[in-house]
Amino acid sequence: MAARKPVFNQQVLYDTTPLPDSIPKVKELGATSAPLFSASFFIGTRCKDYNDDYMQCKTENPGKGEFECLKEGRRVTRCARSVIKDLNTSCLEQFRAHWECLDDNNHQLWQCRPAEWNLNRCAFEKLGLEKVIPDQPPQSTPVHLRKKMIFAHYPIPSHAKPFITGQEEAKPKAS
Amino acid sequence: MPQDMPPVGGYEAVQYKRNIPARGFRAGYYLAGAGAIMAYGWYHLIVGLRERNELAREKMWGRIHLIPALQAEEDRDLVRRHLADQAREKALLGENIKVYHSDRYVRPTFAATPGSTTK
């Protein structure tokens, strides 16, 4: 068996039959990989409960999760969609700058830190969504807040400042 | 016939040492220097490896946060195709044949690829 699952491809394997009316409709995400990856930590922050519910449902229904977990799946999609929508309405400029940077840089997050910091600031100030990487080793700066990225092609410009939640709130009041 | 004997007072000392000064520093300094260079390299290697681990973790979590959304979309698509297949089978054969001796959902190996589609 091939290592990669044969994934349905809308271009090759046409089947335009819609879901029956007994299953509620939900609008799909409709975002490509770069915007999704750019928003992934915000999706993770806002939709953690829905995601966990869905994954638990899938775990508890092995072999049948596709049918049993449709409800949870719709919630997951709605929540992720709401994050993308909020980013598009509130932080369109920063969001677009970041995901276009990701698109241009092979989805390497470390090439796009300044754009990411701008997006993180906007997302936190306007939407209250924070980027937190779990399982951070103690006594070390989280990797997305470091001023220097060893693997980046270009050094981070000195005027770009990482967005650290507590510090940034204190700064504007002082100045 | 008298036998050859050493000269009186013994032979002269044989000069086996070269009478030139040793070049360069003491060997210990070279060892220490090489060690310093390697320590520098190892330091940067370890810093780089640690940062790479962190970046890998960041990427992993970025994907983990996306898995449910992507999987949900995929599942809906699979369910839609499965139900459509079942309906098609029912319409063509009159009944749904249970192919697998299991109640689990099996991803279809074959898919209907109609030549003309209603789009």
Side-chain angles (χ1 to χ4, degrees):
Chain A
M1 194 175 166
R4 185 184 164 90
K5 280 183 193 169
V7 173
F8 282 122
N9 183 325
Q10 298 282 349
Q11 275 72 51
V12 181
L13 301 173
Y14 292 106
D15 191 349
T16 49
T17 319
L19 275 171
D21 291 332
S22 56
I23 298 173
K25 302 280 186 291
V26 64
K27 209 151 186 237
E28 297 293 359
L29 269 174
T32 48
S33 56
L36 277 180
F37 197 40
S38 169
S40 67
F41 279 91
F42 305 131
I43 291 175
T45 308
R46 183 182 281 183
C47 309
K48 185 167 186 303
D49 295 341
Y50 297 114
N51 288 354
D52 288 352
D53 268 359
Y54 176 72
M55 293 319 269
Q56 188 186 8
C57 173
K58 291 279 283 185
T59 314
E60 285 170 357
N61 295 288
K64 290 182 175 180
E66 284 83 354
F67 297 93
E68 308 290 327
C69 304
L70 280 175
K71 189 175 75 175
E72 284 81 357
R74 283 192 294 274
R75 288 179 181 157
V76 165
T77 304
R78 258 183 233 119
C79 179
R81 209 181 149 74
S82 78
V83 173
I84 302 275
K85 184 166 158 283
D86 284 356
L87 284 177
N88 271 334
T89 46
S90 305
C91 302
L92 180 62
E93 192 187 330
Q94 292 92 337
F95 184 42
R96 186 169 284 167
H98 185 225
W99 72 251
E100 282 181 350
C101 175
L102 283 181
D103 231 359
D104 292 342
N105 285 293
N106 213 2
H107 285 217
Q108 290 172 337
L109 287 168
W110 58 90
Q111 311 276 16
C112 303
R113 292 300 177 198
E116 182 189 325
W117 292 334
N118 287 337
L119 174 63
N120 286 1
R121 172 179 294 113
C122 177
F124 184 74
E125 284 170 359
K126 297 201 176 156
L127 306 172
L129 296 174
E130 198 179 350
K131 171 169 177 174
V132 178
I133 307 176
D135 305 333
Q136 184 68 37
Q139 309 291 325
S140 69
T141 314
V143 73
H144 63 291
L145 302 179
R146 291 180 191 171
K147 287 275 299 167
K148 197 176 153 202
M149 289 280 121
I150 297 174
F151 294 94
H153 292 158
Y154 305 105
I156 294 171
S158 56
H159 57 81
K161 293 274 180 292
F163 173 68
I164 303 165
T165 313
Q167 290 182 11
E168 285 296 318
E169 279 172 44
K171 224 183 213 173
K173 282 173 197 163
S175 61
Chain B
M1 195 176 185
Q3 198 179 346
D4 260 355
M5 294 294 286
V8 178
Y11 293 108
E12 283 180 22
V14 178
Q15 188 189 352
Y16 61 90
K17 277 184 184 171
R18 295 199 301 162
N19 196 16
I20 44 177
R23 277 177 63 242
F25 304 104
R26 289 215 312 255
Y29 290 144
Y30 290 106
L31 193 65
I37 291 170
M38 276 185 237
Y40 177 81
W42 275 96
Y43 170 77
H44 279 280
L45 176 70
I46 289 171
V47 167
L49 287 178
R50 285 187 181 160
E51 179 157 326
R52 200 180 65 182
N53 291 347
E54 291 298 302
L55 289 168
R57 208 158 47 75
E58 185 189 26
K59 176 176 159 186
M60 227 48 241
W61 275 102
R63 293 187 175 190
I64 286 170
H65 291 320
L66 289 180
I67 284 174
L70 298 175
Q71 187 67 48
E73 183 171 344
E74 174 81 4
D75 279 2
R76 264 194 303 280
D77 192 42
L78 287 173
V79 167
R80 179 180 71 82
R81 286 169 185 274
H82 178 77
L83 295 179
D85 274 346
Q86 295 290 310
R88 207 176 294 124
E89 189 181 351
K90 186 112 182 166
L92 293 174
L93 302 180
E95 58 171 337
N96 286 328
I97 303 162
K98 218 176 135 199
V99 186
Y100 301 102
H101 181 61
S102 160
D103 287 333
R104 295 171 73 101
Y105 170 75
V106 181
R107 286 178 75 103
T109 316
F110 305 104
T113 53
S116 60
T117 53
T118 52
K119 270 202 122 175

